[in-house]
Amino acid sequence: MSERFTKSMARNIYLGGGVFSLLLFFSLSYHTLGVLPERDNRHNITPEVALGKKVWEDNNCVGCHTILGEGAYFAPELGNVYTRFGNSTEAIIGFIESRPAEGVPGRRSMPQFNLTREELVGIAEFLKWTSEIDTNNWPPNIEG
Amino acid sequence: MMKYESQAVAKPYFIAAIALFVGQVLFGLILATQYLIGDFLFPEIPFNVARMVHTNLLIIWLLFGFMGASYFLVPEESERELYSPKLAIILFWTFLIASVLTVLGYLLVPYSGLAAMTGNDIWPTMGREFLEQPTITKIGIVIVVLGFIFNIGMTVLSGRKTVISIVLLTGLVGLAVFFLFAFYNPVNLVLDKFFWWWVIHLWVEGVWELILGAILAFVLIKVTGVDREVIEKWLYVIIAMALISGVIGTGHHYFFIGTPEYWLWLGSIFSALEPIPFFMMTLFAFNMVSRRRRDHPNKAAVLWALGTAVLAFVGAGVWGFMHTLAPVNYYTHGSQITAAHGHLAFFGAYALIVMTIISYAMPIIRGQVAGSETTQRWEKWAFWLMASSMVTITLALTGAGVLQVWLQRMAEEPMSFMATQDSIAFFYWLRLAAGIVFTMGLFVYVASFFVGQKEPPRSITTE
């Protein structure tokens, strides 16, 4: 790098640029938090949805699936599974309940989690609520 | 050979890092197999458990590597002994035992049982990608990191302050601060995701780049003998660009998770700049090596350093850019393209920088300027085996990803997820084969520490 460009100039770009970027990021985040209620469908977070998120986490569902595109890529996207399953929470519950404990020979298969009815309703309601978040139209189609 | 005796505390950290790296890669092989033979090790080690072990071991061994790097380079930069070598050893064992117990918990107890056992009901933080650790483990991580930063901070602040040590310390403080968001887990999934990225993105595309830059700059000063003023100027510009592009660049994760539309623009534009600091790092490394004033006998360390710069640029920079623009990401989000990028970025930037400092520091800790001829030959073999097979893994996953996106998201009659997975199995076989070569490369790397120990030591020649 040229001699005229000194170390202290470089340092000032780092400090100025870094601090400015962080402040801008925090301000944008503050704005985002303000407008999120119009998009994240939070008025529909019922106790069932809250329980469902807990069940989701306690069983590490994100270790195989993506949700809104984030997670592992081993099993289908679940952000829109409610619509993919014909807008039916019962279909989701039926699928989870019917997983064979010993798996399917040679194939990927979801473990049998032995969830209670309450937990099953929770997870289905959580996935229904998730499908109603405004995600800028993602995923591109029903297959997720 | 060491300038300061306390630099030796880095050794157990480096050994633990490499051991956990081996564990990470073995679980990677399990995962790659499960992609092809769905019921492999099922239900004993389901995919989600193996993946958790794979990713968590990665994070832990990199942290061990960063800590070892800091303990080695900070005394030398500060021109004084480490504030407390004893604390460093206590924290080492604490961190190692906590890590091993956590991984054993993943493997031996069903995850929901582990959650119940560790009080996840009281303060739920588990079950989120990369942050799967029980809440008590997370608290343990905070305690270890704070103790580590205290130790490093006391050394830096009471000794000679260099740009390298201050940048390193800033990166480490950032690492600790942003990790605190791991404890915030609101019921609202959108909010949860929003702040989850403050840990994940602001680590790997933010403060970790400061740590990476500082370690690379340190090694380049040592192996090239180029004037510190020149190297520090480069370091400042690189980390300036990293923060200017990367902080608002967080927006490329806010496209489709419920956050407002303006992130589509902000995230695309700023993250499109994220390759710049990595490109500069490549220019930097090659420039310094070509302007070297001494012929350091540790040629292997130079290779690791150049490899870091190149593969960080390709993996984090080029492969990141490939899918970072919102209209592209709309189709590629959460596909094998993401996995391809993740593999080469973590390997190129972070795994390699840790191996770079280990390559430079380990011989010195063991009383030599550089490893023997044989040691270095094995290291170079390890480098080329691991680097080329990781590039192959990345290309295979990219092939899988492009086809997946096409079949499942762009075709006129889109296929289901599982039907798509069956159609792209060829690429998963390719990935598994490359994974086996990578594992062989890793074993060569481990062996490099044991071969050629009886050969005569080497010395520095100045040109």
Side-chain angles (χ1 to χ4, degrees), chain B residues 263-277:
Chain B
W263 288 110
L264 296 172
W265 288 96
L266 287 168
S268 297
I269 292 166
F270 280 87
S271 69
L273 304 175
E274 282 187 47
I276 294 175

Side-chain angles (χ1 to χ4, degrees), chain B residues 26-107:
Chain B
L26 294 178
F27 275 86
L29 288 179
I30 293 177
L31 294 165
T33 309
Q34 288 177 332
Y35 258 93
L36 290 154
I37 304 163
D39 65 339
F40 181 64
L41 297 182
F42 189 89
E44 286 73 27
I45 307 180
F47 182 90
N48 76 86
V49 171
R51 183 184 197 259
M52 196 159 54
V53 175
H54 180 66
T55 56
N56 283 220
L57 282 178
L58 167 68
I59 298 166
I60 295 167
W61 86 256
L62 292 178
L63 290 179
F64 269 110
F66 292 165
M67 290 180 188
S70 309
Y71 287 132
F72 183 83
L73 73 81
V74 163
E76 210 165 311
E77 287 291 296
S78 306
E79 294 184 334
R80 57 155 287 174
E81 293 288 354
L82 186 65
Y83 176 74
S84 170
K86 202 186 217 169
L87 178 61
I89 294 298
I90 294 171
L91 291 176
F92 168 78
W93 287 109
T94 312
F95 193 34
L96 187 64
I97 291 167
S99 305
V100 170
L101 284 179
T102 301
V103 170
L104 286 178
Y106 291 162
L107 288 167

Side-chain angles (χ1 to χ4, degrees), chain B residues 286-315:
Chain B
F286 279 89
N287 243 308
M288 294 309 106
V289 170
S290 73
R291 286 165 61 177
R292 68 183 177 274
R293 289 186 181 168
R294 64 167 76 117
D295 236 355
H296 197 283
N298 197 338
K299 304 286 180 229
V302 177
L303 177 66
W304 289 109
L306 294 176
T308 303
V310 172
L311 287 181
F313 170 61
V314 177

Side-chain angles (χ1 to χ4, degrees), chain B residues 127-208:
Chain B
R128 294 173 304 150
E129 194 185 7
F130 311 130
L131 302 182
E132 295 92 346
Q133 312 82 34
T135 305
I136 45 169
T137 303
K138 290 192 180 88
I139 294 171
I141 293 173
V142 170
I143 292 169
V144 168
V145 170
L146 287 183
F148 158 69
I149 290 177
F150 170 73
N151 208 354
I152 292 295
M154 291 302 280
T155 316
V156 168
L157 298 178
S158 63
R160 179 182 70 150
K161 292 170 198 64
T162 67
V163 175
I164 288 176
S165 63
I166 296 292
V167 168
L168 179 71
L169 187 59
T170 312
L172 296 172
V173 170
L175 182 153
V177 168
F178 288 116
F179 184 68
L180 295 179
F181 288 93
F183 292 93
Y184 178 59
N185 180 19
V187 170
N188 183 341
L189 181 71
V190 179
L191 271 182
D192 170 4
K193 284 175 175 292
F194 188 84
F195 286 107
W196 179 81
W197 282 116
W198 286 38
V199 187
I200 308 304
H201 176 95
L202 292 177
W203 266 22
V204 300
E205 292 166 67
V207 291
W208 280 29

Side-chain angles (χ1 to χ4, degrees), chain A residues 62-66 71-77 107-110, chain B residues 30-40 42 46-48 51 334 336 404 417-418 421 428 431:
Chain A
V62 83
C64 291
H65 295 277
T66 49
Y73 321 111
F74 189 68
E77 161 68 27
R107 306 284 303 166
R108 301 180 199 177
S109 173
M110 192 161 110
Chain B
I30 293 177
L31 294 165
T33 309
Q34 288 177 332
Y35 258 93
L36 290 154
I37 304 163
D39 65 339
F40 181 64
F42 189 89
F47 182 90
N48 76 86
R51 183 184 197 259
Q336 293 298 324
Q404 178 188 17
F417 177 90
M418 274 317 300
Q421 292 296 305
Y428 293 142
R431 185 262 297 266

